[in-house]
Amino acid sequence: MKIIAYNVRDDEIPFIKAWGEHNEVEVDYSIDTLNSETLKQAQGYDGISCLQTIPYDEELFAEMKKMGITMLSLRNVGLDNVDLVAAKKYGIVVTNVPDYSPASIAEFAVTLALAVNRKVGYMYYQLHELGEFHFSADFMGKLISNQTVGVVGTGRIGKEAIRMFTGLGAKVIAYSKSHLTDSELNFTYVDNLEDVMDQADIIDLHIPGVPENEHLFDEAAFKRMKSSAILINTARGSIVDTTALIAALERGEIAGAGIDTLEDESADLQNSRSTAQVTDHNVLALSKMPNVIVTPHSAFHTDEAVMNMVNISFNNLMQKLIGSEVNNLAK
């Protein structure tokens, strides 16, 4: 049995080696992203593990079939960049890791909310851009405990975010198509997304990047939100119209944002070895705003999350290769 992992970061390597040694399975890895060209590196392997935000397209799955590789095991949750129809067409089993560490992402969302809310970006700007270092009236923030947080999506991550925000004393409302049952958490569901926009001081997104959620937060949404509101997105970039977000921030229609995911993320974004200079005009525009914190899709990144992503992805592969029932099949 031989497994190859693509787009491997340095921080994943110890966990990959440990899994291979523990399970007595030959595991190799590549720093390249996976596409129909780099797939050639997988010749002679039985299964592939991968983590990337760029597409897994029909051409890739067609080539996998030709090579006799029948499984792609993702090391992440999101399936929005996977052509599952094509995978099924070519007989490729796809799995993901639906629950590697919801608390890691939720904690980062809360971190962004606290940092933007307490004007950390303004302090950073004063020191690093102006070369000054002193108290300023611009630094006045608000207590989270005096605010209403609107959590959009109450799955595993959203549930953890609710737990953390209520722990800080915030009033929490939530909107989700599916509701938590028998929850001990102290929050209230609202009937629609507009209620969140109308009421929330902080809006925290935890929904998938499926087509129906594309640009849920657009020009009209930003005009509807409170002018004092903050938007936090650690979910998927496609949920937010980035051009409209920048315009709303420039016009003062909302007060700030914490953005960990952006539309049209490049392969280079997930390349931990990259030294390329930033050229994306949206990233540059957001980075220059003191009321915005923009980060490179890193909310998940804790030691616990990385270990679980590797182990669960490889366990999924091994189940398929030894003929056992496969967990975490993509749907």
Side-chain angles (χ1 to χ4, degrees):
M1 185 187 304
K2 295 175 61 178
I3 293 172
I4 184 169
Y6 279 84
N7 202 33
V8 170
R9 304 183 310 268
D10 291 340
D11 56 285
E12 294 179 296
I13 293 172
F15 299 112
I16 290 172
K17 289 181 175 178
W19 186 92
E21 292 171 2
H22 178 76
N23 292 280
E24 299 181 340
V25 173
E26 182 178 346
V27 181
D28 293 309
Y29 58 86
S30 170
I31 66 173
D32 295 328
T33 53
L34 179 61
N35 55 48
S36 56
E37 185 62 30
T38 60
L39 179 64
K40 295 173 183 177
Q41 298 173 35
Q43 188 67 52
Y45 290 86
D46 301 301
I48 295 172
S49 171
C50 195
L51 168 60
Q52 62 192 39
T53 55
I54 63 173
Y56 303 92
D57 57 21
E58 180 168 0
E59 184 180 1
L60 171 67
F61 293 121
E63 291 300 315
M64 286 180 65
K65 180 178 176 63
K66 291 178 184 178
M67 293 173 63
I69 299 173
T70 59
M71 184 170 179
L72 171 65
S73 183
L74 307 185
R75 299 194 301 278
N76 63 302
V77 179
L79 297 166
D80 49 290
N81 58 332
V82 184
D83 189 338
L84 292 175
V85 174
K88 183 176 181 180
K89 174 182 175 181
Y90 293 103
I92 309 299
V93 174
V94 179
T95 60
N96 66 345
V97 182
D99 190 4
Y100 52 81
S101 181
S104 295
I105 298 172
E107 184 178 272
F108 196 79
V110 174
T111 299
L112 289 177
L114 287 168
V116 176
N117 185 59
R118 291 302 302 270
K119 306 295 182 69
V120 172
Y122 286 85
M123 300 174 196
Y124 185 93
Y125 181 85
Q126 183 202 71
L127 177 60
H128 293 273
E129 298 296 328
L130 302 180
E132 301 174 11
F133 189 60
H134 55 79
F135 174 85
S136 170
D138 291 336
F139 300 163
M140 187 173 69
K142 299 176 182 178
L143 284 173
I144 289 283
S145 56
N146 289 336
Q147 298 185 71
T148 297
V149 176
V151 175
V152 181
T154 57
R156 295 179 179 91
I157 302 169
K159 182 178 178 181
E160 288 298 323
I162 291 170
R163 189 188 312 280
M164 293 177 191
F165 278 118
T166 55
L168 291 169
K171 174 185 176 182
V172 177
I173 59 175
Y175 171 72
S176 184
K177 291 187 176 180
S178 58
H179 288 196
L180 293 171
T181 57
D182 301 323
S183 174
E184 79 287 2
L185 298 175
N186 182 23
F187 73 101
T188 304
Y189 277 112
V190 295
D191 294 331
N192 52 62
L193 190 58
E194 287 72 24
D195 288 337
V196 175
M197 296 174 187
D198 291 343
Q199 299 177 38
D201 301 296
I202 298 170
I203 298 179
D204 181 27
L205 307 181
H206 296 295
I207 51 178
V210 295
E212 63 193 86
N213 290 337
E214 183 171 358
H215 286 185
L216 278 184
F217 283 78
D218 56 9
E219 182 180 2
F222 294 126
K223 289 183 182 299
R224 182 159 191 153
M225 288 168 59
K226 294 182 178 181
S227 60
S228 58
I230 292 168
L231 179 72
I232 306 297
N233 186 14
T234 58
R236 282 293 184 266
S238 61
I239 301 167
V240 177
D241 182 335
T242 311
T243 301
L245 170 64
I246 292 170
L249 288 162
E250 290 174 340
R251 291 193 293 259
E253 291 173 351
I254 64 172
I259 302 297
D260 186 55
T261 59
L262 289 157
E263 297 180 272
D264 304 317
E265 291 179 347
S266 66
D268 191 62
L269 182 71
Q270 289 294 311
N271 180 2
S272 61
R273 302 167 183 85
S274 174
T275 58
Q277 297 297 294
V278 179
T279 58
D280 187 302
H281 65 278
N282 286 334
V283 174
L284 291 170
L286 291 168
S287 71
K288 294 174 182 177
M289 297 181 180
N291 55 340
V292 175
I293 296 178
V294 57
T295 53
H297 209 135
S298 300
F300 75 96
H301 202 206
T302 63
D303 53 355
E304 175 183 286
V306 175
M307 178 181 68
N308 289 341
M309 292 163 83
V310 168
N311 289 348
I312 296 171
S313 174
F314 284 15
N315 288 342
N316 291 341
L317 274 170
M318 189 164 68
Q319 288 167 351
K320 171 72 163 58
L321 296 176
I322 66 175
S324 298
E325 182 179 353
V326 179
N327 294 329
N328 305 312
L329 292 171
K331 298 177 182 179

